[in-house]
């Protein structure tokens, strides 16, 4: 079930807005603190400079000595107030009695605030106190910070809007998927890649490897993990990429290290733009062998069906010839019944209890007959059934690969194949009546694919060093079911 789409968008919006608010408020607080300190320092220096100027002015000095400010002194105080854009200027004597004040009623009254004592003792001092006209410096600080508050409000609104838009954009880029869905898709993709037996390679437009599965990592037959190939050029796995066309959708034949593959590639599209390719390599030999197995099984089934249906007919013919005493005709008829091909199928049904192996023998005999070569089989003793189907399939694939290689060379008129079963081991010996190129067969059995199949069957192979040429295979063939570990080997 799909998770509701708003959840990721909501979480992203919450994270972005929370981060934004925390950052903005922190910056705003630090800015206000710094602004206040700079303002107090700047205004304090200005006020001290004004105070020094007033203290040195002769009119102020005369007023203090007379303990009374005349109109000229009050006018001068008003002029300073106006020139420096001050709210008010108050001149007091050493006892803290006001000599000037914007409010005439406050003249000759004691200064309020309590912070004048330090100055009356001869020290320069700036402080914030509430007097008859309110808090002096504090009002200026608040006024100077109004612009910052407006900037804070406007920035917060713009930041929130941007946070929502960014959250929506990220959600859209993730194809409206939730984190759990993305994780699940990733795990499913990895599972499909790893369980696929055929090599799969993902590359970008520059043919740089972005992703591979285990089967692809084995192309070079080195014990290297998939991650070691990431970021490497395609040529580290595909030796001759120029032999195939990535833009062709149909399967192409490709050969590497003596192994045949069916090569296919599909473009990777993101928002209608090509960003790379996914490459599939299918074992062409194995595909051919599977088709052969189907054909052989069909041939074996037909042989059994023919044997079943014709048995009674043959008995009736024999009975009729005996009844009319046509013994010469009976001899001819029996001779026809015992022709090699017919006799082969009849004996095979008795000696080979594994239908897959029997069908394979019939099909291979017909295939070699097309090349004017007769396959003779000697089976001793009878070959029992094998409940391990995978082991049988691997055995047949191994034999098909060997026969496929034999058919690529000149063959003698007859090849004798001996099968000997004993103690869950099957020995297969190929006898070639005429000399052949021994190096061709040695090269064949040393192919990586052949060796891989041989290893799966815990087998071994030898080629005679003298003529006539013989090739001996010894592999596992279990008459009884094995444990799971061995069956899955």
């Amino acid at each position: 079930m799909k998770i509701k789409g708003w959840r990721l968008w909501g979480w992203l919006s919450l994270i972005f807005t929370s981060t934004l608010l925390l950052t903005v408020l922190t910056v705003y607080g630090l800015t206000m603190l710094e602004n206040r300190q700079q303002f107090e320092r700047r205004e304090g220096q200005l006020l001290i400079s004004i105070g020094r100027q007033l203290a040195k002015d002769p009119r102020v000095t005369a007023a203090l000595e007379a303990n009374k400010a005349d109109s000229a002194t009050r006018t001068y105080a008003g002029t300073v107030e106006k020139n420096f854009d001050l709210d008010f200027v108050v001149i007091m004597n050493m006892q803290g009695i006001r000599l000037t004040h914007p409010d005439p009623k406050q003249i000759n009254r004691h200064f309020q605030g309590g912070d004048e004592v330090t100055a009356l003792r001869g020290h320069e001092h700036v402080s914030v106190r509430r007097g008859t006209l309110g808090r002096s410096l504090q009002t200026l600080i608040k006024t100077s910070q109004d612009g910052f508050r407006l900037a804070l409000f406007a920035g917060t609104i713009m930041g929130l809007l941007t946070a929502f838009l960014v959250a929506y954009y990220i959600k859209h880029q993730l194809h409206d998927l939730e984190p759990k869905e993305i994780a699940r898709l990733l795990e499913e993709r990895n599972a499909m890649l790893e369980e696929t037996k055929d090599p799969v390679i993902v590359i970008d437009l520059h043919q740089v490897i972005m992703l591979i599965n285990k089967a692809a990592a084995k192309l070079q037959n080195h014990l290297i993990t998939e991650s070691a190939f990431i970021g490497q050029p395609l040529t580290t796995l595909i030796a001759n990429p120029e032999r195939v066309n990535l833009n062709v959708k149909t399967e192409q034949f490709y050969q590497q290290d003596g192994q045949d593959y069916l090569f296919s590639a599909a473009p990777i599209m993101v928002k209608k733009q090509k960003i790379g390719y996914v490459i599939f390599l299918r074992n062409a030999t194995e595909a051919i062998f599977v088709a052969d197995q189907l054909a052989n099984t069909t041939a074996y089934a037909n042989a059994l069906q023919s044997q079943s249906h014709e048995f009674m007919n043959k008995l009736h013919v024999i009975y009729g010839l005996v009844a009319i005493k046509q013994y010469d005709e009976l001899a001819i008829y029996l001779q026809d019944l015992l022709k090699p091909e017919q006799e082969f199928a009849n004996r095979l049904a008795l000696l080979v209890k594994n239908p897959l192996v029997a069908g394979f023998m019939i099909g291979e005999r017909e295939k070699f007959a097309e090349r004017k070569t007769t396959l003779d089989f000697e089976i001793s003793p009878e070959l029992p059934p094998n409940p391990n189907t995978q082991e049988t399939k691997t055995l047949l694939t191994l034999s098909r690969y060997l026969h496929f290689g034999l058919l690529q060379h000149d063959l003698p008129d007859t090849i004798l194949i001996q099968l000997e079963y004993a103690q869950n081991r099957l020995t297969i010996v190929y006898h070639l009546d005429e000399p052949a190129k021994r190096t061709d067969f040695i090269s064949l059995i040393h192919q990586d694919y052949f060796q891989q199949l041989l290893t799966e069957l815990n087998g071994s192979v030898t080629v005679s060093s003298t003529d006539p040429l013989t090739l001996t295979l010894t592999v596992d063939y279990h008459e009884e079911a094995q444990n799971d570990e061995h069956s899955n080997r």
Side-chain angles (χ1 to χ4, degrees), residues 391-448:
E391 189 173 68
T392 300
K393 290 181 178 179
T394 305
L395 171 62
L396 297 184
T397 302
L398 180 69
S399 300
R400 284 191 182 94
Y401 187 86
L402 180 59
H403 291 181
F404 180 80
L406 291 174
L407 290 171
Q408 308 307 311
H409 303 88
D410 295 333
L411 297 174
D413 295 334
T414 303
I415 297 178
L416 173 62
I417 303 178
Q418 294 178 318
L419 287 83
E420 181 177 351
Y421 171 77
Q423 298 180 348
N424 294 327
R425 295 283 286 180
L426 177 63
T427 301
I428 307 174
V429 182
Y430 290 79
H431 296 269
L432 284 80
D433 293 339
E434 297 179 4
K437 294 182 179 179
R438 185 171 284 99
T439 55
D440 293 338
F441 297 101
I442 293 177
S443 174
L444 177 66
I445 65 176
H446 283 87
Q447 294 292 337
D448 297 328

Side-chain angles (χ1 to χ4, degrees), residues 201-261:
I201 307 171
V202 179
I203 61 174
D204 62 10
L205 295 178
H206 302 289
Q207 296 193 2
V208 175
I209 298 174
M210 307 303 295
L211 182 67
I212 64 171
N213 63 350
K214 290 182 179 179
K218 295 179 181 178
L219 286 174
Q220 295 298 328
N221 302 309
H222 299 303
L223 298 177
I224 303 177
T225 59
E226 300 96 300
S227 59
F229 291 97
I230 305 301
Q232 300 297 319
L234 180 60
T235 51
T236 58
L237 291 176
I238 305 298
N240 302 293
E242 68 278 358
R243 295 180 181 177
V244 292
N245 190 342
L246 294 175
N247 297 314
V248 176
K249 294 184 179 180
T250 57
E251 289 185 325
Q252 306 167 67
F253 181 79
Y254 175 75
Q255 190 176 56
Q256 178 171 307
D257 297 331
Q259 179 61 48
D260 298 332
Y261 296 98

Side-chain angles (χ1 to χ4, degrees), residues 8-18 160 163-165 167-168:
L8 178 59
W9 182 83
W11 275 109
L12 290 175
S13 300
L14 178 61
I15 292 172
F16 288 149
T17 53
S18 300
L160 291 176
F164 288 128
L165 292 176
Y168 176 78

Side-chain angles (χ1 to χ4, degrees), residues 106-136:
Q106 301 298 328
I107 297 176
N108 296 324
R109 291 188 177 182
H110 198 279
F111 184 83
Q112 295 184 4
D115 54 346
E116 74 281 3
V117 177
T118 304
L120 295 177
R121 292 177 179 174
H123 301 288
E124 294 179 345
H125 177 61
V126 178
S127 64
V128 180
R129 291 288 188 272
R130 179 175 296 277
T132 57
L133 297 179
R135 299 180 69 88
S136 54

Side-chain angles (χ1 to χ4, degrees), residues 5 8-9 16 22 68 74 244 278 284 301 328 349-350 357 377 412 450:
L8 178 59
W9 182 83
F16 288 149
L22 180 61
K68 182 180 180 181
R74 289 192 291 271
V244 292
V278 56
D328 292 338
L350 297 175
V357 176
F377 291 92
F450 184 87

Side-chain angles (χ1 to χ4, degrees), residues 265-328:
I268 302 174
M269 307 296 293
V270 175
K271 294 184 177 180
K272 299 182 179 181
Q273 291 186 351
K274 185 188 299 183
I275 64 170
Y277 298 89
V278 56
I279 296 173
F280 303 93
L281 290 173
R282 190 158 59 96
N283 192 314
T285 306
E286 185 175 352
I288 295 173
F289 288 169
V290 171
D292 281 348
Q293 180 178 350
L294 179 60
N296 294 341
T297 303
T298 303
Y300 180 66
N302 291 337
L304 292 179
Q305 183 180 15
S306 176
Q307 183 181 14
S308 175
H309 285 285
E310 292 181 4
F311 179 72
M312 293 303 298
N313 293 335
K314 294 175 182 178
L315 286 181
H316 281 92
V317 172
I318 294 172
Y319 179 78
L321 292 174
V322 173
I324 62 176
K325 299 181 180 181
Q326 296 291 327
Y327 300 114
D328 292 338

